[in-house]
């Protein structure tokens, strides 16, 4: 049999454990895995000394295109997907907010597809929004347009001065939305923070003249993350809606979610790379670039988060890549800065270093938390595993090769990131999407735009 590509000599993370095997690819799919593959005319990628993992599927990414003339300069499909390629992310699920209009019905998702077509370096799946103003048909339209899941905010979201911007749900629209989403069989992912309490605590802190990130963290205490999850669990029991809690930032919430799952509620959660790396006590030294919500918590809580990732209580890890323009971070008042971290380019390297190299995670579990579990949860067919018949999506990782993250090396439209200046003990050496090299250390990011929207 003639192959298009053979990846040789790598340590390959297969579903049952890692092995030194070669991988043959035909028509973008894995055609054979073994040690006696005939190369013939195939292109060869020599992965000697490298770990070959399923490409990361980042389940939480914000691209602000179309920007509606207001957020045009935040992040685009070209730069955002180039950063993904460089970071070893071969697919991501894009959130229905920060673009204008928000993705809440047929027309808005078509506008989004149009904005991104021909600009994609990696594959893109879509979230649809659940907002108070799309309960009369929007949910069903999005289902037909192929969203893999829905997203709602119970924390305050969106700019009410912008027409078509995203909006958080009230209790009724959450309940009614969950009833409608339950009928699609898809998952509702939720940003769970108590809006009224965090908003008011924030306002009071500002009135006292507080400006620090530490003070900002204090206005969003742990219980304000836990409280809405209790409500969501109740609503899930009542409506039968499958749910997922995005970017959980504390152990108590993770434990609550797992207790409910053990009782039979269809609920899972993710955390983000930054909640496994940064800690509250260093935030003010880094500055508003590291501001996000829920906030990054105390150092004493970090290992508790890791423990739950190792225990399988956190299903996968995401970047919540949520960029903005530099001016929105350029303030000494943490309360005024935009909350969001640019991170899609430093998931794989950082997680490999922190999880595998520093904490001894198995390679199989590493592949699970960056790819396989995401594909399973959102039913992304043919993605997330190195198995015959699956898409040939890989990230090649060079372990034990420290490098320092430099601003100029970031592919983001706006080169801001809290990881700049940090030394990371592993590197992404290459990224392959459906059999095509979209990034390599030698060649950089390819100009191939072979990524596609799944509709
Ligand atoms: Zn987000």
């Amino acid at each position: 049999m003639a192959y298009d590509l053979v990846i040789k000599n790598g340590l390959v993370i297969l579903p049952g454990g890692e092995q030194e095997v070669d991988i043959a690819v035909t028509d973008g799919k894995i055609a054979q895995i073994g040690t006696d593959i005939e190369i013939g005319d195939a292109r060869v990628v020599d992965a000697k000394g490298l770990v070959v993992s399923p490409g990361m599927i980042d389940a939480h990414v914000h691209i602000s295109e179309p920007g509606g003339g207001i957020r045009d300069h935040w992040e685009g499909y070209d730069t955002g997907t180039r950063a993904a390629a460089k970071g070893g992310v071969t697919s991501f699920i894009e959130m229905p907010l920060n673009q204008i209009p928000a993705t809440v019905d047929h027309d808005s998702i078509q506008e989004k597809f149009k904005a991104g077509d021909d600009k994609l370096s990696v594959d893109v799946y879509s979230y649809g929004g659940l907002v108070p103003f799309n309960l009369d048909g929007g949910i069903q339209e999005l289902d037909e347009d192929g969203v893999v899941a829905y997203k709602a905010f119970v924390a305050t979201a969106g700019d009410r001065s912008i027409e078509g911007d995203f909006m958080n749900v009230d209790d009724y629209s959450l309940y009614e939305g969950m009833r409608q989403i339950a009928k699609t069989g898809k998952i509702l992912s939720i940003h769970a923070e108590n809006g009224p309490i965090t908003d008011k605590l924030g306002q009071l802190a500002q009135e006292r003249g507080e400006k620090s990130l530490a003070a900002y963290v204090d206005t969003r205490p742990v219980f304000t993350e836990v409280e809405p999850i209790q409500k969501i669990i109740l609503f899930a029991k009542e409506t039968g809606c499958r749910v997922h809690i995005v970017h959980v930032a504390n152990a108590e919430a993770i434990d609550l979610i797992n207790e409910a799952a053990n009782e039979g509620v269809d609920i899972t959660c993710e955390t983000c790379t930054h909640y496994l790396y940064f800690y509250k006590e260093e935030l003010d030294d880094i500055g508003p670039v590291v501001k996000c919500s829920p906030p990054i918590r105390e150092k004493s809580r970090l290992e508790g988060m890791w423990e739950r990732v190792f225990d399988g209580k956190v299903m996968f890890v995401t970047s919540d890549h949520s960029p903005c323009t530099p001016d929105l971070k350029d303030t000494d008042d943490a309360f005024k800065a935009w909350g969001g971290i640019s991170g899609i380019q430093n998931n794989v390297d950082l997680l490999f270093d922190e999880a595998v190299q520093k904490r001894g995670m198995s390679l199989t579990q590493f592949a699970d938390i960056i790819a396989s579990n995401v594909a399973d949860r959102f039913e992304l067919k043919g993605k997330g595993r190195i198995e015959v018949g699956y898409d040939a999506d890989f990230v090649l990782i060079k372990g034990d090769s420290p490098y320092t993250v430099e601003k100029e090396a970031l592919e983001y439209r706006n080169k801001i990131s809290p990881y700049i200046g940090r030394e990371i003990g592993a590197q992404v050496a290459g990224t392959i999407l459906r059999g095509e090299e979209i990034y390599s250390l030698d060649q950089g990011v390819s100009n191939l735009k072979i990524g596609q929207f799944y509709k």
Side-chain angles (χ1 to χ4, degrees):
M1 188 168 174
Y3 301 117
D4 299 328
L5 169 76
V6 175
I7 302 169
K8 285 189 69 67
N9 306 319
L11 182 62
V12 181
I13 313 179
L14 301 172
E18 62 271 19
Q19 280 183 42
E20 278 179 31
V21 284
D22 300 339
I23 307 167
V25 176
T26 303
D27 293 333
K29 296 203 183 304
I30 300 169
Q32 202 188 334
I33 299 168
T35 50
D36 51 0
I37 288 173
E38 235 178 84
I39 292 172
D41 296 334
R43 282 173 292 122
V44 172
V45 168
D46 187 0
K48 193 165 179 49
L50 304 177
V51 169
V52 182
S53 163
M56 178 159 182
I57 306 173
D58 191 336
H60 195 145
V61 174
H62 297 265
I63 302 289
S64 318
E65 191 174 355
I70 295 166
R71 299 197 189 116
D72 293 353
H73 304 289
W74 284 27
E75 183 70 284
Y77 283 107
D78 177 33
T79 46
T81 63
R82 287 179 72 91
K86 195 166 185 176
V89 174
T90 48
S91 302
F92 62 74
I93 311 180
E94 196 215 352
M95 285 292 169
L97 66 154
N98 301 338
Q99 65 277 73
I100 302 171
T103 308
V104 294
D105 57 15
H106 173 75
D107 289 347
S108 51
I109 200 169
Q110 296 307 320
E111 247 183 86
K112 168 194 129 141
F113 290 148
K114 220 170 105 195
D117 267 339
D118 307 328
K119 293 183 190 161
L120 306 182
S121 298
V122 304
D123 286 348
V124 178
Y125 295 86
S126 300
Y127 262 111
L130 161 60
V131 290
F133 56 88
N134 75 340
L135 293 169
D136 51 0
I139 299 293
Q140 292 73 23
E141 289 175 12
L142 292 166
D143 183 33
E144 283 159 23
D145 286 325
V147 300
V148 296
Y150 295 84
K151 167 81 178 285
F153 267 66
V154 298
T156 306
D159 184 338
R160 297 278 63 80
S161 70
I162 301 171
E163 199 188 321
D165 203 18
F166 200 80
M167 187 175 183
N168 50 285
V169 287
D170 52 76
D171 283 355
Y172 173 73
S173 42
L174 176 62
Y175 165 65
E176 174 56 20
M178 287 174 81
R179 278 166 31 102
Q180 294 187 15
I181 293 167
K183 291 186 189 136
T184 70
K186 289 175 179 170
I187 292 169
L188 174 63
S189 295
I190 303 171
H191 178 135
E193 282 186 292
N194 182 304
I197 298 177
T198 53
D199 289 351
K200 184 70 185 177
L201 290 177
Q203 184 201 325
L204 292 172
Q206 282 183 286
E207 284 167 14
R208 287 195 305 273
E210 309 264 20
K211 287 188 162 69
S212 71
L213 280 155
Y216 165 75
V217 177
D218 292 341
T219 62
R220 306 180 92 90
V222 166
F223 88 95
T224 60
E225 263 193 88
V226 175
E227 180 272 338
I229 297 172
Q230 289 179 327
K231 177 164 75 187
I232 290 159
I233 291 167
L234 272 176
F235 282 29
K237 286 179 180 166
E238 184 67 25
T239 60
C241 185
R242 308 167 68 204
V243 289
H244 174 77
I245 309 297
V246 295
H247 52 48
V248 175
N250 74 81
E252 290 88 332
I254 297 169
D255 290 346
L256 173 64
I257 288 160
N258 280 271
E259 281 162 28
N262 290 339
E263 283 177 24
V265 179
D266 190 338
I267 184 169
T268 49
C269 67
E270 71 189 38
T271 191
C272 304
T273 308
H274 44 264
Y275 299 121
L276 296 168
Y277 182 70
F278 295 112
Y279 49 87
K280 179 187 171 188
E281 294 84 344
E282 66 178 344
L283 299 183
D284 282 298
D285 293 334
I286 301 169
V289 69
V290 79
K291 180 186 175 184
C292 58
S293 68
I296 289 162
R297 302 194 183 280
E298 292 75 12
K299 189 174 191 183
S300 59
R301 290 177 158 273
L302 251 185
E303 291 312 311
M305 291 294 291
W306 272 111
E307 213 176 277
R308 285 159 179 81
V309 172
F310 271 78
D311 288 348
K313 290 179 176 166
V314 175
M315 199 172 186
F316 44 83
V317 181
T318 68
S319 68
D320 192 2
H321 181 63
S322 184
C324 63
T325 46
D327 57 304
L328 298 176
K329 292 287 198 184
D330 189 18
T331 163
D332 61 358
D333 184 347
F335 288 88
K336 294 219 167 77
W338 167 258
I341 287 179
S342 298
I344 197 170
Q345 204 175 307
N346 297 107
N347 275 316
V348 171
D349 51 7
L350 204 129
L351 287 171
F352 190 85
D353 187 26
E354 295 290 324
V356 177
Q357 297 188 159
K358 291 191 181 147
R359 293 179 177 81
M361 181 178 281
S362 74
L363 290 176
T364 339
Q365 189 177 15
F366 173 74
D368 284 346
I369 64 162
I370 66 160
S372 317
N373 289 350
V374 182
D376 287 353
R377 186 61 175 149
F378 296 106
E379 295 170 37
L380 312 179
K381 289 193 187 69
K383 293 289 192 192
R385 283 190 167 70
I386 302 183
E387 236 178 86
V388 171
Y390 275 65
D391 282 5
D393 297 349
F394 311 107
V395 52
L396 279 52
I397 303 163
K398 191 175 177 186
D400 297 319
S401 78
Y403 83 105
T404 301
V405 179
E406 281 168 18
K407 184 177 176 180
E408 299 70 40
L410 297 174
E411 296 286 334
Y412 309 141
R413 176 173 284 167
N414 297 295
K415 299 185 190 312
I416 50 178
S417 158
Y419 300 110
I420 291 171
R422 297 277 170 152
E423 189 183 88
I424 300 177
Q427 290 186 66
V428 172
T431 309
I432 295 170
L433 175 68
R434 287 183 273 107
E436 300 286 345
E437 272 184 282
I438 54 170
Y439 171 71
S440 71
L441 264 180
D442 302 339
Q443 307 283 320
V445 181
S446 144
N447 289 322
L448 280 179
K449 288 289 178 183
I450 58 162
Q452 58 191 35
F453 282 115
Y454 285 85
K455 302 177 185 177

